[in-house]
């Protein structure tokens, strides 16, 4: 009787992931998830590689480990930083499965497939459309003014964003499991983040227009002894007025789906003509 109780207690012993297993998985994901892209499976090999510390811990049996690795070679593609929530969720699911939960291969891959598209939309919008653009604009402005801090600033701040966001989403995914996406994709949270980044982006864009887009005119008119310098007049109205007007016109053209090539050609022609006639 005592022998049976010992056997039963051993059978019920759970396998739990350690913090170092999760950290190793996260580090592999951040550093290598997009280093093995291919046309057939895209990020599948990188995802499987990131899951190896998790799977080795959960499946000591060679056959179970082989099946788990094969399971995660299915097609996969998402944005890297916010997409770290998916391997975090999968780590949680694999832990449940290794301890007897009824989670099939199709269920785990279905969760991966269902999340990778929406997460990519969120991540690409925030990372590529807002954060990277803003930080790069600030760094370029510093570099244009001759400061070596510009590229260093971009490297440090963007790296901090990548690691911070990836760490947060990965461990949020593991902590909340299948419910993590509903928590992190709360519309009010995303709206607040997007609004804040949009305000910051517009502020940076406005300062860049004023400091880097220098358009002036030497054109003057003489009425007897009176000389009207148009540039001085524009500066009294609004410093950098011509740059602001040019930016506004280009923006309107882009909103009306005018080709970028046509806009660039028009700017080139206007610039040459303005210099020839002494207007610009």
């Amino acid at each position: 009787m005592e022998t049976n109780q010992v056997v039963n207690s051993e059978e019920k012993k759970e396998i739990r992931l350690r913090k170092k297993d999760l950290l190793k998985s996260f580090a592999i994901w951040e550093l290598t998830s997009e280093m093995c892209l291919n046309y057939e499976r895209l990020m599948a090999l990188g995802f499987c590689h990131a899951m190896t510390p998790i799977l080795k811990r959960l499946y000591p049996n060679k056959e179970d480990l082989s099946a788990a690795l094969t399971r995660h070679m299915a097609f996969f593609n998402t944005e890297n930083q916010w997409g770290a929530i998916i391997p975090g969720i999968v780590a949680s699911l694999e832990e449940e499965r290794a301890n007897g939960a009824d989670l099939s291969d199709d269920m785990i891959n279905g969760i991966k497939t269902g999340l990778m598209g929406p997460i990519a939309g969120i991540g690409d919008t925030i990372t590529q459309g807002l954060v990277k653009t803003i930080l790069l604009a600030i760094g370029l402005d510093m570099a244009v003014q001759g400061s070596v801090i510009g590229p260093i600033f971009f490297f440090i701040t963007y790296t901090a964003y990548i690691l911070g966001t990836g760490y947060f989403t990965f461990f949020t995914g593991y902590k909340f499991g299948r419910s993590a996406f509903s928590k992190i994709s709360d519309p009010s949270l995303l709206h607040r983040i997007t609004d804040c980044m949009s305000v910051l982006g517009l502020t940076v864009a406005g300062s860049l227009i004023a400091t880097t887009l220098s358009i002036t005119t030497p054109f003057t008119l003489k009425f007897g002894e009176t000389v009207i310098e148009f540039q001085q007049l524009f500066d009294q109205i609004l410093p950098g007025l011509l740059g602001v007007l040019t930016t506004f016109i280009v923006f309107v053209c882009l909103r009306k789906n005018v080709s970028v090539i046509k806009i660039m050609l028009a700017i080139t022609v206007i610039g040459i003509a303005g210099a020839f006639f002494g207007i610009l």
Side-chain angles (χ1 to χ4, degrees):
M1 186 70 177
E2 292 180 0
T3 304
N4 291 335
Q5 289 178 349
V6 172
V7 172
N8 291 335
S9 64
E10 289 179 352
E11 289 178 349
K12 293 179 180 179
K13 185 178 181 181
E14 295 183 342
I15 304 175
R16 290 300 172 190
L17 294 172
R18 300 165 296 184
K19 184 67 175 287
K20 67 178 183 179
D21 299 322
L22 295 169
L23 286 173
K24 188 174 181 180
S25 177
F26 165 69
I28 294 173
W29 169 262
E30 281 294 327
L31 296 174
T32 68
S33 61
E34 294 188 276
M35 293 178 64
C36 303
L37 298 179
N38 61 79
Y39 287 110
E40 182 182 5
R41 301 174 189 269
L42 283 179
M43 296 174 68
L45 188 58
F47 188 96
C48 184
H49 185 201
M51 294 305 298
T52 50
I54 305 297
L55 301 178
K56 286 181 179 179
R57 169 69 176 169
L58 296 175
Y59 302 108
N61 182 279
K62 185 176 181 180
E63 287 73 20
D64 293 337
L65 176 60
S66 177
L69 291 171
T70 302
R71 176 164 61 249
H72 292 298
M73 281 301 294
F75 176 89
F76 185 79
N77 186 41
T78 193
E79 191 269 339
N80 196 38
Q81 281 71 57
W82 290 80
I85 192 174
I86 301 178
I89 292 173
V90 171
S92 177
L93 298 179
E94 289 288 357
E95 187 177 38
E96 292 181 26
R97 174 171 171 152
N99 288 291
D102 185 17
L103 294 169
S104 64
D105 292 3
D106 292 338
M107 182 178 295
I108 293 176
N109 282 324
I111 291 174
K112 287 168 56 180
T113 303
L115 290 179
M116 65 184 188
I119 291 291
I122 295 172
D124 287 338
T125 300
I126 296 177
T127 301
Q128 306 298 332
L130 294 173
V131 176
K132 190 174 185 179
T133 303
I134 293 171
L135 295 179
L136 189 59
I138 296 173
L140 285 173
D141 184 51
M142 293 180 180
V144 168
Q145 296 180 25
S147 175
V148 73
I149 300 299
I152 297 175
F153 167 83
F154 174 74
F155 174 78
I156 293 176
T157 54
Y158 191 57
T159 300
Y161 166 80
I162 288 174
L163 295 178
T165 303
Y167 183 91
F168 170 75
T169 53
F170 182 91
F171 282 91
T172 297
Y174 173 72
K175 180 179 180 181
F176 294 112
R178 282 171 285 183
S179 64
F181 179 69
S182 62
K183 296 178 183 295
I184 200 170
S185 62
D186 177 48
S188 61
L189 174 62
L190 291 177
H191 287 158
R192 289 197 297 270
I193 294 174
T194 304
D195 289 344
C196 291
M197 296 305 297
S198 296
V199 171
L200 179 59
L202 290 173
T203 303
V204 172
S207 65
L208 286 175
I209 292 171
T211 57
T212 63
L213 185 58
S214 178
I215 302 177
T216 59
T217 176
F219 187 68
T220 59
L221 287 177
K222 294 183 179 180
F223 298 97
E225 296 182 356
T226 303
V227 179
I228 300 176
E229 297 182 1
F230 277 80
Q231 184 57 50
Q232 185 178 4
L233 182 62
F234 293 152
D235 290 339
Q236 291 176 353
I237 299 173
L238 177 68
L241 177 62
L242 293 179
V244 173
L245 290 176
T246 302
T247 303
F248 177 75
I249 293 171
V250 171
F251 175 76
V252 171
C253 291
L254 291 173
R255 289 291 298 270
K256 293 184 177 181
N257 296 320
V258 178
S259 169
V260 174
I261 296 176
K262 291 181 180 179
I263 295 174
M264 294 175 64
L265 289 175
I267 291 174
T268 302
V269 170
I270 292 172
I272 293 173
F276 179 80
F277 291 106
I279 300 176
L280 295 175

